[in-house]
Amino acid sequence: MTPVTTRTFAADPAGLEAAAEALRAGGLVAFPTETVYGLGVDARNSDAVARLYQAKGRPSFNPLIVHVASFEAAEALVEFDATSRDLAQAFWPGALTLVLPLKEGAGISPLVTAGLTTLAVRMPDHAVAQGLLAAFDGPVAAPSANPSGQVSPTTFAHVKTQMTGRIDGIVDGGACGVGLESTIVVAQAVPTLLRAGGVPAEAIEAALGGTLATPSDRVDDAAAPTSPGQLSSHYAPKGQVRLNVDHPAPDETLLGFGPVEAPLNLSPSGDLVEAAAALFDALHRLNEMGAERIAVSPIPAHGLGRAINDRLQRAAAPRAEGSGAPA
């Protein structure tokens, strides 16, 4: 990726407003939370989210956690039931992420949810994070601010060392208090621990008055929120998909990439960031077009191309016989 100038923002009102303005412009801004430093982008901006994946070198489109300033801001995005509402009241602000059904019309980029119908959301308990979220006044998607596969950052120096030249700015908010990623729980229909983290499972179980399930315990695993990397076929369009096609058959609808004639083209110029941002919308549009057989142009297997190909390979995976849904 082309190096960018990485600014340092002070953790004061002027610095936080400047960081918020960078987010509004589609920039990538790292900021401290009580858990680890997060790499924030406007959760509604698919182009910005695609650049985030590129900056992290993230190998596939995995669901991202959205950070909000208040419970009311979360309510605008997701559907709470009684259990999840109780957990939010008990542990927010704090290091608990809840996975909840996404509200229709919430405006969240499909790259944030990785095509799922759920959203991971939390309210951080850190004055600088809260100040940035208030200044931005919108949802911020933020995985840890480090290259994928490396150690999560807990200080400004960690982020500066790992991400300078990759992102637009870093808010210097000192060290993180918890130093461990948030705990992730899905409350519907069975309260389930998806990731251990900064809030002990025992504390959550005490609040629930019962035991948390693990993903293998759930009886509704087919509907369980999960990483796309755990499924052999995930978010597939209704039509059958064929990959790496230079010459589509007459009965195939071409999803193009690069300088090819196609009803839909992820990026006529061959820009992988543009293609990543357009991918999920294109799959939805193929459904709307009623495409029964879909051919996909070859896409380079480097950078974001690896993530795009990963998603398309899942879209092309075998389905259950007689079903339009993934197996």
Side-chain angles (χ1 to χ4, degrees):
M1 60 179 292
T2 302
V4 299
T5 299
T6 302
R7 302 167 60 189
T8 296
F9 300 108
D12 57 24
L16 294 177
E17 178 54 41
E21 186 56 38
L23 289 173
R24 293 185 197 103
L28 281 60
V29 176
F31 63 97
T33 76
E34 76 278 26
T35 58
V36 299
Y37 268 74
L39 181 53
V41 294
D42 184 345
R44 302 160 297 195
N45 185 332
S46 288
D47 289 337
V49 179
R51 287 195 294 274
L52 181 150
Y53 280 107
Q54 183 182 52
K56 281 182 64 69
R58 205 170 173 98
S60 62
F61 295 133
N62 295 318
L64 303 176
I65 296 172
V66 168
H67 295 65
V68 295
S70 66
F71 180 79
E72 291 73 22
E75 277 192 309
L77 303 176
V78 293
E79 300 282 358
F80 284 85
D81 66 352
T83 299
S84 54
R85 187 179 298 271
D86 288 346
L87 289 175
Q89 290 175 346
F91 297 105
W92 283 5
L96 175 66
T97 293
L98 294 173
V99 179
L100 298 165
L102 182 66
K103 281 188 174 179
E104 186 175 353
I108 297 297
S109 164
L111 285 183
V112 169
T113 62
L116 297 170
T117 58
T118 53
L119 180 69
V121 62
R122 86 176 184 99
M123 187 199 321
D125 186 15
H126 191 289
V128 175
Q130 282 288 326
L132 177 60
L133 290 166
F136 179 63
D137 193 25
V140 173
S144 57
N146 58 288
S148 185
Q150 297 190 23
V151 178
S152 295
T154 57
T155 68
F156 169 80
H158 292 162
V159 184
K160 184 177 181 180
T161 298
Q162 293 182 317
M163 301 302 285
T164 294
R166 292 171 175 254
I167 64 177
D168 298 284
I170 310 168
V171 179
D172 186 356
C176 301
V178 175
L180 183 68
E181 288 90 346
S182 64
T183 303
I184 302 179
V185 168
V186 54
Q188 303 173 12
V190 179
T192 302
L193 179 68
L194 298 185
R195 182 180 76 184
V199 176
E202 293 83 356
I204 299 169
E205 289 176 334
L208 290 171
T211 302
L212 284 167
T214 62
S216 61
D217 296 331
R218 291 173 66 104
V219 297
D220 61 340
D221 273 348
T226 185
S227 164
Q230 297 173 316
L231 300 178
S232 62
S233 174
H234 181 73
Y235 194 71
K238 295 175 182 177
Q240 295 296 316
V241 178
R242 187 165 69 97
L243 304 179
N244 299 311
V245 177
D246 288 307
H247 303 289
D251 63 344
E252 289 181 318
T253 300
L254 179 64
L255 177 59
F257 176 83
V260 297
E261 291 293 330
L264 290 176
N265 195 314
L266 294 173
S267 175
S269 66
D271 184 321
L272 289 171
V273 172
E274 180 182 19
L279 177 61
F280 288 108
D281 181 63
L283 296 178
H284 281 291
R285 289 177 63 188
L286 286 164
N287 279 346
E288 293 168 0
M289 293 166 62
E292 295 182 358
R293 293 173 56 81
I294 300 161
V296 183
S297 293
I299 296 172
H302 61 77
L304 280 177
R306 289 178 297 184
I308 295 168
N309 281 311
D310 173 84
R311 173 62 58 204
L312 289 170
Q313 286 161 7
R314 298 178 195 284
R319 325 285 179 84
E321 186 175 354
S323 171

